[in-house]
Amino acid sequence: MTLRVGVVGGGQLARMMIAPAVELGVELRVLAEDAGMSASLAATAVGDYRDAATVLEFARDVDVITFDHEHVPQDVLAALVEAGVAVHPGPDALRFAQDKLLMRARLQELGMPQPDWAAVTDADELQAFIDDHGGRAVVKTPRGGYDGKGVRVVSAGTEAADWFATLAEDAHGGALLVEELVEFTRELAQQVARRPSGAMRAYPVVETVQRDGVCAEVIAPAPHAGERLPQVAAQIGTAIAEGLGVTGMLAVELFETTDERLLVNELAMRPHNSGHWSQDGAVTGQFEQHLRAVLDLPLGDTTALAAWSVMVNVLGGPVEGSLDERFATAMAEHPQAKVHTYGKAPRPGRKVGHVNVVGDDLDDVAYQARAAVAVFLD
Amino acid sequence: MTLRVGVVGGGQLARMMIAPAVELGVELRVLAEDAGMSASLAATAVGDYRDAATVLEFARDVDVITFDHEHVPQDVLAALVEAGVAVHPGPDALRFAQDKLLMRARLQELGMPQPDWAAVTDADELQAFIDDHGGRAVVKTPRGGYDGKGVRVVSAGTEAADWFATLAEDAHGGALLVEELVEFTRELAQQVARRPSGAMRAYPVVETVQRDGVCAEVIAPAPHAGERLPQVAAQIGTAIAEGLGVTGMLAVELFETTDERLLVNELAMRPHNSGHWSQDGAVTGQFEQHLRAVLDLPLGDTTALAAWSVMVNVLGGPVEGSLDERFATAMAEHPQAKVHTYGKAPRPGRKVGHVNVVGDDLDDVAYQARAAVAVFLD
């Protein structure tokens, strides 16, 4: 009676579930958008995740459906639930990841610390918010943004005119999210795993370094954090997992402000780039934990294996030659580097892999990880 | 230009190469003996490894052929080499793993410490060896033994009459291996990875605990070893890897004698049960290292991630119910246990999985690993 997990989406997050699935003896099935995607080894089906019939057919004979991304439409999710399929995270949780206005409203109900925000429907409302918040603000499209897309820093209400125009044509309705521009010293991320039956485990809070809106580097645990900050971050993470009914892995991206508060920036209800360090740096990696959580199996230990882990993304690729040709050099110069590849063709800025290094000296660990990645990009 | 590794044999060793292959971006192909074997996820072919045409067909379009076991006949290996296929370990090394008389003779040439031994062709020669060695000896069939099979402790030359009779009909010729019965305090294992270009990396020497001739438990590193023993073990391992021209992973099983010598017991030229701890307890696990070695990629760091790792085999299965039904209990009671399953139906004494636990306190680590395995077998 082998347990079967069906993953909708064939990207690198699905790909990285393959390794722990094999070791746990879980059969992984993947509904990929196209042939030859990252998770192609386990891609048992290719099809459109926006088509309910396609997803329902894929979901037959699996014990649970989970996701590589949060973009499966609510009507498709509803069809799965109606057909009696276990879906984790479920539609009621996922809508908060799919709509940032819903998320902000729900976090406000839960009393979570977050930036000032508002729903604005035209340039005048946006201008009023800007005027109230020091002359600048962050405008976000509530749906479909990722890796910095759909996010714009503005200082005038007219700077989002194109988005307001698009919204007018959108069936989901007509508001943008505007948030105060937070003065932060750094960005953190808190991961929590939660089972359908309610049990949770928090990972150590990490520091994330973004470049051009994309995660470039993660340090686990967050340095110079003291005792209180990790506790507060874990409390925020578990409160959100519980309050939003998240099942599987949840990542809460946080700002640490200049006045030492933590404010919730974004949520992701799946394994997340900020947790890749755990593949090599924690007793239980986030991809194994996600499988355990969505199957409602007991969660694994989230303790770090060493004092420090550093994850550096391989963004893009070499100017000449291929990633594979750089492998030997990276491995030879950095034998402690754990290289993870996504099977994707390099393009400027595209996440095509990452490197983890684990050890007791942060300076050395960070140097080795950055230097190994540099070999791929030189 | 994805690198491709073809593995002959679809057992658990091939299965455990899948996870690191996915992360490294190496395409793994497996020639399995039957459908539904341990490595079925990557089994791109099913066929008889004793048939040269089958193996040659499988070997087309891969960068290197390697093995889940050492039983591929020399004529099949020779056909591969003749066809220009890279084979690691190669036929010249594998013959020492396939024939224990050849191995003993070669280790003697290399000056490696080993038990007294002789090739004996009849009961009288065997009796003479027994008489010279205190009235008892160990007789081994030179070919085909594993996990205690083909090994017999005897006190009279007549006790191997059946094997001598079988040998007379065997095309490979007519001698048994006889060895002195070594007085050992414990058994150890030394693993070494070696690239075709010659570079090597040794793992920490480990203690192995056998029950009924089968590996039951491994403690890494070997406790109470002092400084000298690990150095001597590593020297033996690297000398054998070099002297026998081994490529990929080599395991050297050792006796530690009552007079504090190390004697070579058996060799394995592949990932080995004594190295499963490294999946969770070392920077580079043996399955990743084997892939790197046979592809002639730079080898990874073999340092342990914590003070202690303990591996306990799941031998057989529950009296009632299935292994899968025990999962939740084992995971709930031992969240730090890393469970590895082989996708095999349990039978008494059959290796169907193992558990690794890593940590700083040996008593606790060993207790957690043993107790997690006990959940599967109760």
Side-chain angles (χ1 to χ4, degrees), chain B residues 180-188 228-229 254-263:
Chain B
E180 68 170 314
L181 191 65
V182 173
E183 302 251 339
F184 61 85
T185 51
R186 58 175 175 173
E187 295 185 74
L188 305 172
R228 187 183 145 277
L229 184 143
L254 297 158
F255 295 122
E256 184 177 359
T257 65
T258 49
D259 55 349
E260 296 196 338
R261 291 177 303 146
L262 294 181
L263 302 179

Side-chain angles (χ1 to χ4, degrees), chain B residues 52-106:
Chain B
T54 299
V55 180
L56 278 167
E57 174 61 27
F58 172 68
R60 288 196 317 162
D61 303 326
V62 301
D63 294 289
V64 60
I65 285 287
T66 189
F67 309 95
D68 173 74
H69 57 70
E70 292 126 334
H71 308 317
V72 178
Q74 283 286 327
D75 64 320
V76 174
L77 298 171
L80 286 169
V81 171
E82 191 157 317
V85 177
V87 179
H88 294 296
D92 290 346
L94 273 172
R95 65 198 173 101
F96 297 113
Q98 292 175 334
D99 188 319
K100 291 175 185 173
L101 278 169
L102 285 181
M103 176 196 79
R104 286 292 178 217
R106 181 69 182 131

Side-chain angles (χ1 to χ4, degrees), chain B residues 8-64:
Chain B
V8 178
Q12 66 260 27
L13 301 180
R15 177 190 179 98
M16 290 188 274
M17 293 178 204
I18 297 173
V22 170
E23 297 307 310
L24 289 176
V26 168
E27 185 181 330
L28 200 73
R29 297 183 181 187
V30 173
L31 175 63
E33 294 83 339
D34 294 296
M37 288 190 66
S38 280
S40 56
L41 180 60
T44 45
V46 171
D48 186 348
Y49 61 79
R50 295 163 301 187
D51 179 63
T54 299
V55 180
L56 278 167
E57 174 61 27
F58 172 68
R60 288 196 317 162
D61 303 326
V62 301
D63 294 289
V64 60

Side-chain angles (χ1 to χ4, degrees), chain B residues 157-223:
Chain B
T158 53
E159 289 178 50
D162 54 334
W163 284 353
F164 283 122
T166 308
L167 274 186
E169 297 158 16
D170 186 342
H172 294 299
L176 293 176
L177 170 63
V178 59
E179 298 174 356
E180 68 170 314
L181 191 65
V182 173
E183 302 251 339
F184 61 85
T185 51
R186 58 175 175 173
E187 295 185 74
L188 305 172
Q190 173 66 51
Q191 287 197 299
V192 173
R194 184 169 177 272
R195 293 173 61 176
S197 53
M200 291 188 280
R201 275 186 188 260
Y203 280 82
V205 66
V206 302
E207 178 173 341
T208 66
V209 180
Q210 317 283 324
R211 285 193 202 107
D212 303 324
V214 178
C215 175
E217 188 173 313
V218 171
I219 304 169

